[in-house]
Amino acid sequence: GQNIDQPTEMTATEGAIVQINCTYQTSGFNGLFWYQQHAGEAPTFLSYNVLDGLEEKGRFSSFLSRSKGYSYLLLKELQMKDSASYLCAVRDAFDYKLSFGAGTTVTVRA
Amino acid sequence: EAQVTQNPRYLITVTGKKLTVTCSQNMNHEYMSWYRQDPGLGLRQIYYSMNVEVTDKGDVPEGYKVSRKEKRNFPLILESPSPNQTSLYFCASRGAGSYNSPLHFGNGTRLTVT
């Protein structure tokens, strides 16, 4: 099974940078996903990491350290529309099941 | 447009009255899954299906049923809903060909059981 932890809430100012950490414990690891979810809407895919290191996609970057069971999502040049919940999800190596953390609500203030 | 379609978006019902939430995807995905989302608990998997006629329990299957008679449809059935099944439900799908393929989610069904 999976045990996934991420902070509940974070607040940042427009134009700033925010880093959302995710730690996990798993019996078998087969990739980590980050999703963005605006209030009342469906989660949408942001990034995927399976090897150690940094994946960059425009203003968003995601980092993975498998040995530490740790990932972070970095949001740069924050915009008001980035106010949302960010979900960390880990896939199991044996059944490919995706388990989600409770999500981190990011509030961007002007 | 590639999408996962759930219906209805909102549903209010009473305890014990059977209901079905439909889910359909037009991407020819093999894998489909149902999640419920509750405050502070995140998304929890109810049931999933690897392909037609193949379904398995997720983390919280009690009180739910599913079927997968066709590839595109994966309905969620609550035979006798109870108030603790009040939640936000999401259907999701992904292709089986690529190991890193992300889940595509429907727009959600907000269910209230009184």
Side-chain angles (χ1 to χ4, degrees), chain A residues 8 30 33 35 37 39-48 50 85 87 91 95-103, chain B residues 9 31 35 37 40-43 45 48 50 58-59 88 90 94 98-108 110:
Chain A
T8 305
N30 195 310
F33 294 79
Y35 285 83
Q37 185 179 22
E41 297 183 8
T44 55
F45 169 71
L46 286 179
S47 69
Y48 170 77
V50 67
S85 183
L87 313 179
R91 181 152 65 197
D95 59 14
Y96 289 90
K97 177 183 162 185
L98 198 62
S99 296
F100 287 82
Chain B
R9 289 294 307 277
Y31 180 93
Y35 291 86
Q37 187 173 37
L41 296 177
L43 286 159
Q45 191 178 51
Y48 65 98
M50 299 293 283
D59 295 319
L88 179 59
F90 286 101
R94 68 169 169 81
S98 177
Y99 64 92
N100 64 346
S101 53
L103 284 174
H104 298 262
F105 285 86
N107 284 330
R110 188 167 291 282

Side-chain angles (χ1 to χ4, degrees), chain B residues 1-5 23-32 68 71-73 91-97 101-106:
Chain B
E1 180 189 355
Q3 59 185 3
V4 178
T5 303
C23 174
S24 180
Q25 50 91 7
N26 62 1
M27 296 169 278
N28 201 36
H29 283 167
E30 289 80 7
Y31 180 93
M32 298 186 74
R68 189 88 183 276
K71 199 172 190 179
R72 64 184 293 125
N73 295 323
C91 179
S93 73
R94 68 169 169 81
S101 53
L103 284 174
H104 298 262
F105 285 86

